Amino acid sequence: MYCQVIVDIVHENVAQAFTYRIPDGMVLQRGQRVLVPFRSGTLEGIVLSLSDTADFDPNRIRPVIRPLEDYPAILPPLMELAEEMAKEAHCPLAETLRLMIPAQMRGGRVRVREEEWAEITAAQEDVRAAMEGERRSAKRREILRMLLEKSPRRVSEIRDAVIDPRDALKALEKAGLIRVTRQESLRTPDGGMGGGNAEWMPLTPEQQEVMEEILPALQKGTGRFLLYGVTGSGKTEVFLNAVRRVLDMGRSAVILVPEIALTPQMVSWFQARFGAVAAVLHSRLSPGERYDEWRRIRRGDARVVIGARSAVFAPVEDLGLVVVDEEHESTYTSDHHPRYDAREVALSRCQRERATLILASATPSILSYARAGRGDYMLLEMPVRVQDRPMPEVQLVDMRRELESGNRSVFSRELAAALDGCLRRGEQAMLMINRRGYHSFVSCRACGHVVKCPNCDVSLTCHVSTGQEAARGEESLLRCHYCGHTQEVPARCPSCGSPYIRYFGAGTQKVEEEVRRLFPGTETARMDIDTTSGKDGHARILERFRSGAARVLIGTQMIAKGLDFPKVTLVGIVAADLTLNLPDYRARERTFQLLTQAAGRAGRGRQPGRVIIQTYKPEDPVLSLAAKQDYRAFFEVEFRRRRQALYPPFTAMMRLLIESPGGETAERTAGELEKQIRGVLEANPAWKKKVLLFSSELPGIRMLRGLERRQILIKALVGAETDALRGLMAGMAEASEKTEQAGKTEKRETGRADCRVTFEYNPTSMI
Ligand code: ADP
Ligand code: ZN
Ligand code: ZN
């Protein structure tokens, strides 16, 4: 017997499978991890297939050394998925297979943790007699006494009571009274945050209707749904009910949330209803926890998996349901190689494994809603909040007026007054700033000079020291969010020498300071990248707010979505238009989603909610539609705009990003590539009709990490994109002297060493 193995290294020279002999007595299956000899050393690999014969000299085929586990780490449908993804992304199978198992499992960096247990093996009376007869050793007597009380018992527990019990245990074992065994012990993450409700509540009529559509699909293992339910319409309760049915049928479910910040709440809700059957999988778990959760799922002990993007690869057998909550979030697409879109992967898994897919959002992505319109998804709607709770009242405040009337604070008078009222009534508030530290750049009041990163074409962000850091004499620092460069705030303007250089605008820290200054003694909690490092960072901060210990939660977009805090009656959006002007065709969609979602955090409980959106551009229709929380109107406007401007979903896009230390080289390469593309298109008239080429231009950020950047955008009319764009890419690869599969995205290096060109199909970011 032979097997074909994909070895775990990514290199074009080993992109194929290697044949190994299976030694007598060894049983292997497809998807199983094995250790194999490779060149002069050994490598881990995954069994791709088995065969009776080898296609070359059997004497030269080396044997498998050993299996790494006695079960296939990668289940058959996930093997197929990895193969499909590799084919689509034009990348080696070894790379997509890596997505299917925790990284630390590779190379044996994480192991099963074992614990010693002692248990009584003789009859109770014999043990009791032995204990009473034991004269020589107090240790042995104590151990027997403990085991008579409780058996089996952890040896670590015995060790707490008896110093160095090893010899005593051995002696007792030898006397045939007890047995000591090593057993696996699971490292279980504490992923929840409290506040889960164990009770099943009667469904609202809207929830009931939606369930009636979903249930038959669950039964049949079919159904692709887009659940469009306004904020506070009770989508989670729908998920919980659907999962209950799936579990009753003996099947499993995967619940995806867009980011780690939302796992604690979801985990609490699911654990409250389903207990230990729910597992959590995300990148912040310790390697041991991740490995153990993964195995708990693989063994079928955990049948509900909650996690961020990569949990879509969870090794559940008999998948019955995948839920993608907040499906509009861009975090569902990964920007690491190999790139994937968790929504597409979920769809593919559901098709292959006969499971139901539910995409859910209060602000569905334009793409998904358009697909629902075409009939690809069945649209389910929950247009009202549970128990007739009103949608929050939203008000736009023109910050230009505030400035004109002399208010330089980050809070408008309306927001300050509303916050005051909210706190006086004993309610809670959330304040959102679009981006961490965004706009808290340092600028010169005299000449307007902005302190920029020396490596990137972006302004540096000011991180004000917190109380403790300041007490230690640590100064404020300027930091680049792209490359990590830090420097001190200059005392004088580097451009004009003026001493009036200072930081400006509203970062999360600034807003927190302002709240504390205006409302002394108010407990605040701040959630941004700075405060959520560490494994339970998010859960800790959220729990402080949920329990009421903090009255005001300040944060970046992290706090805008998904969270359900019924005592919040006020949401303030400190600067609404920051994302509106990003050079990305999705900027309007993202801004609408963010504002609608943030507004949706208010008034989820018995008290009605109020939302104040501060902006410098109140006349923008995106803002007024978000204020009305009118998704459908926004969709119509945006859909039309995309059709006119030829953006997705009407076209597929490809971006060529050119990066080089020298601006001239970047420019020249861009020009050459453009010529090449035109050449390929000329040679393929069929594509030429479908492909629109945009000449090289400056991307949103001209320089990044010391590299000059240029981009070429190519669009193709939908329907033709797979052929035309992929064909074009292949044609270009042939045309360039040297092609190489390397690095992060779908990357092909041009002939020059000093210039890098990245091909991105449907780019996640346009900056
Ligand atoms: P969404 O995700 O749609 O924004 P949630 O699922 O967070 O909304 O639900 C909003 C609130 O309504 C939650 O506090 C939830 O406990 C409550 N809720 C949901 N369904 C019901 C129901 N059937 N009866 C009473 N309260 C409900
Ligand atoms: Zn200056
Ligand atoms: Zn930088």
Side-chain angles (χ1 to χ4, degrees):
M1 274 300 272
Y2 302 94
C3 60
Q4 287 69 48
V5 173
I6 297 289
V7 290
D8 189 19
I9 42 172
V10 174
H11 194 282
E12 56 189 320
N13 296 337
V14 294
Q16 88 280 22
F18 293 89
T19 299
Y20 290 90
R21 187 164 52 75
I22 304 176
D24 288 343
M26 189 188 289
V27 181
L28 292 178
Q29 294 174 60
R30 173 168 148 94
Q32 207 162 342
R33 299 196 320 135
V34 287
L35 191 70
V36 291
F38 194 81
R39 305 215 168 115
S40 58
T42 59
L43 277 180
E44 291 182 354
I46 286 161
V47 176
L48 182 66
S49 53
L50 304 163
S51 61
D52 293 329
T53 54
D55 44 10
F56 61 102
D57 182 6
N59 295 319
R60 285 177 44 219
I61 299 179
R62 299 202 271 173
V64 172
I65 298 170
R66 62 181 164 85
L68 291 165
E69 288 94 16
D70 53 12
Y71 56 89
I74 306 181
L75 291 161
L78 291 169
M79 284 297 289
E80 281 172 34
L81 179 65
E83 287 177 294
E84 177 188 282
M85 287 174 72
K87 214 157 110 203
E88 260 179 26
H90 295 290
C91 76
L93 184 51
E95 242 170 336
T96 52
L97 286 172
R98 282 181 182 177
L99 296 169
M100 310 291 157
I101 43 180
Q104 295 85 0
M105 219 167 131
R106 294 166 34 222
R109 278 167 290 157
V110 63
R111 279 167 216 290
V112 174
R113 189 174 67 180
E114 288 184 333
E115 258 181 327
E116 279 185 321
W117 289 77
E119 69 185 310
I120 286 172
T121 49
Q124 290 268 333
E125 323 68 90
D126 296 346
V127 176
R128 186 157 293 116
M131 178 185 77
E132 275 151 15
E134 182 61 66
R135 295 273 175 265
R136 298 223 317 278
S137 166
K139 282 189 192 180
R140 273 179 256 166
R141 202 165 50 231
E142 178 59 13
I143 291 169
L144 290 177
R145 194 197 58 75
M146 285 179 83
L147 287 176
L148 278 169
E149 197 179 274
K150 185 177 132 203
S151 167
R153 199 165 192 148
R154 280 196 180 82
V155 170
S156 62
E157 255 175 74
I158 296 174
R159 203 167 282 127
D160 287 342
V162 179
I163 302 159
D164 194 13
R166 185 134 310 271
D167 290 343
L169 284 166
K170 278 222 182 84
L172 291 171
E173 211 171 356
K174 221 167 162 191
L177 295 167
I178 70 162
R179 177 169 60 207
V180 177
T181 51
R182 296 187 72 80
Q183 272 170 36
E184 185 180 324
S185 84
L186 290 170
R187 289 152 286 200
T188 306
D190 176 21
M193 58 181 259
N197 178 2
E199 302 292 312
W200 290 95
M201 28 189 156
L203 295 179
T204 65
E206 287 79 15
Q207 288 168 333
Q208 192 68 49
E209 260 172 54
V210 161
M211 282 309 295
E212 274 160 27
E213 297 286 351
I214 296 174
L215 286 180
L218 288 176
Q219 224 85 47
K220 286 192 288 242
T222 56
R224 317 278 168 255
F225 297 103
L226 175 62
L227 173 56
Y228 159 51
V230 298
T231 56
S233 58
K235 294 186 284 296
T236 316
E237 204 59 35
V238 171
F239 309 156
L240 289 162
N241 276 274
V243 167
R244 171 146 79 155
R245 295 309 175 100
V246 167
L247 292 177
D248 286 346
M249 292 188 293
R251 307 186 75 186
S252 304
V254 172
I255 317 296
L256 299 182
V257 292
E259 54 179 279
I260 295 169
L262 287 177
T263 50
Q265 178 178 275
M266 197 63 91
V267 167
S268 303
W269 281 338
F270 274 80
Q271 280 178 347
R273 304 283 169 94
F274 303 112
V277 133
V280 53
L281 264 193
H282 60 68
S283 57
R284 285 283 180 85
L285 303 182
S286 75
E289 287 170 346
R290 205 153 159 213
Y291 181 44
D292 289 356
E293 286 289 87
W294 185 90
R295 282 183 308 126
R296 224 155 62 79
I297 299 162
R298 177 65 188 78
R299 286 198 297 239
D301 295 341
R303 291 198 290 133
V304 185
V305 181
I306 296 152
R309 181 175 68 217
S310 60
V312 76
F313 301 111
V316 294
E317 230 164 331
D318 211 349
L319 183 68
L321 171 71
V322 179
V323 173
V324 183
D325 195 15
E326 316 287 352
E327 68 85 28
H328 60 278
E329 287 293 335
S330 57
T331 44
Y332 283 121
T333 49
S334 82
D335 40 14
H336 302 295
H337 194 67
R339 287 175 63 206
Y340 64 90
D341 181 334
R343 288 161 293 203
E344 301 299 331
V345 176
L347 185 62
S348 166
R349 268 197 92 166
C350 286
Q351 245 138 22
R352 186 169 288 119
E353 300 175 47
R354 295 188 58 78
T356 302
L357 175 68
I358 304 177
L359 305 176
S361 176
T363 52
S365 65
I366 297 288
L367 273 153
S368 297
Y369 202 79
R371 277 192 186 177
R374 284 206 311 263
D376 295 351
Y377 301 136
M378 179 173 176
L379 186 66
L380 302 172
E381 296 179 78
M382 298 204 295
V384 294
R385 287 189 155 178
V386 295
Q387 298 174 334
D388 294 324
R389 287 171 198 162
M391 295 302 284
E393 176 207 319
V394 185
Q395 182 186 352
L396 288 172
V397 175
D398 186 347
M399 290 306 276
R400 291 170 307 196
R401 292 258 175 74
E402 291 295 306
L403 207 64
E404 274 163 26
S405 55
N407 178 13
R408 289 183 196 288
S409 154
V410 296
F411 296 138
S412 59
R413 287 158 295 180
E414 280 90 340
L415 183 51
L419 197 50
D420 184 47
C422 168
L423 293 172
R424 269 175 210 284
R425 290 190 302 272
E427 297 160 1
Q428 287 184 307
M430 286 165 83
L431 298 174
M432 192 195 77
I433 300 89
N434 248 359
R435 266 194 187 187
R436 173 184 69 140
Y438 200 86
H439 265 212
S440 60
F441 51 80
V442 168
S443 73
C444 172
R445 292 275 158 121
C447 76
H449 175 82
V450 173
V451 182
K452 288 192 164 182
C453 173
N455 309 318
C456 311
D457 181 32
V458 293
S459 49
L460 292 173
T461 300
C462 192
H463 287 252
V464 191
S465 332
T466 60
Q468 288 170 359
E469 286 156 354
R472 289 199 303 267
E474 285 167 30
E475 289 295 318
S476 306
L477 274 184
L478 294 176
R479 191 181 300 159
C480 172
H481 283 176
Y482 288 92
C483 75
H485 166 87
T486 55
Q487 68 180 60
E488 278 173 23
V489 181
R492 282 176 180 282
C493 170
S495 174
C496 75
S498 157
Y500 296 105
I501 184 156
R502 46 173 305 189
Y503 69 90
F504 189 81
T508 42
Q509 288 172 322
K510 180 79 193 294
V511 170
E512 186 175 41
E513 266 171 32
E514 195 66 3
V515 172
R516 290 186 176 161
R517 193 180 65 79
L518 290 174
F519 309 101
T522 302
E523 281 297 324
T524 57
R526 175 160 64 90
M527 190 145 123
D528 56 29
I529 304 177
D530 288 339
T531 58
T532 52
S533 54
K535 154 164 91 105
D536 296 323
H538 298 101
R540 235 183 11 249
I541 295 167
L542 292 177
E543 180 53 24
R544 232 166 65 78
F545 190 59
R546 190 201 64 83
S547 66
R551 304 276 304 284
V552 183
L553 177 65
I554 298 146
T556 54
Q557 45 260 67
M558 261 180 212
I559 65 167
K561 57 210 158 201
L563 296 170
D564 182 48
F565 295 114
K567 270 179 264 163
V568 172
T569 57
L570 175 68
V571 166
I573 295 156
V574 176
D577 25 39
L578 293 181
T579 50
L580 199 52
N581 301 316
L582 291 178
D584 189 319
Y585 71 92
R586 287 160 295 201
R588 296 157 50 87
E589 183 182 0
R590 300 234 167 102
T591 304
F592 177 84
Q593 288 163 346
L594 192 61
L595 297 182
T596 311
Q597 293 286 345
R601 298 314 110 206
R604 298 170 73 85
R606 286 202 190 81
Q607 307 303 321
R610 184 169 173 207
V611 181
I612 294 176
I613 300 179
Q614 304 191 149
T615 171
Y616 289 90
K617 240 180 152 183
E619 65 282 357
D620 193 295
V622 172
L623 298 186
S624 45
L625 288 173
K628 283 195 224 128
Q629 303 174 69
D630 191 343
Y631 174 78
R632 212 108 28 142
F634 172 76
F635 175 83
E636 293 301 331
V637 173
E638 187 63 15
F639 196 64
R640 240 177 291 136
R641 205 183 65 91
R642 298 252 182 116
R643 180 156 49 203
Q644 263 158 18
L646 290 172
Y647 277 118
F650 298 97
T651 53
M653 298 218 336
M654 185 157 81
R655 172 166 92 148
L656 275 68
L657 183 67
I658 299 129
E659 292 171 295
S660 167
E664 238 170 76
T665 316
E667 198 77 46
R668 201 178 49 235
T669 311
E672 281 165 21
L673 283 171
E674 224 185 292
K675 234 189 291 164
Q676 266 184 33
I677 297 170
R678 287 189 200 286
V680 175
L681 288 181
E682 288 304 328
N684 296 277
W687 299 345
K688 203 184 157 200
K689 266 188 276 168
K690 305 277 170 62
V691 173
L692 309 153
L693 169 66
F694 291 75
S695 50
S696 65
E697 50 179 273
L698 293 175
I701 296 179
R702 207 200 73 242
M703 188 169 84
L704 202 64
R705 299 175 189 97
L707 297 175
E708 289 282 341
R709 311 160 89 230
R710 296 291 181 279
Q711 70 181 13
I712 299 175
L713 289 181
I714 303 167
K715 294 187 206 169
L717 298 177
V718 149
E721 81 276 12
T722 11
D723 287 7
L725 282 187
R726 299 234 179 241
L728 179 65
M729 208 162 103
M732 301 241 339
E734 253 168 57
S736 64
E737 305 102 309
K738 184 186 143 207
T739 53
E740 206 177 341
Q741 270 288 355
K744 284 189 258 164
T745 47
E746 290 177 344
K747 214 178 269 177
R748 296 181 203 262
E749 314 256 327
T750 57
R752 255 180 307 279
D754 57 350
C755 198
R756 190 170 59 184
V757 182
T758 312
F759 287 64
E760 266 181 290
Y761 188 71
N762 285 335
T764 39
S765 151
M766 301 281 283
I767 53 168

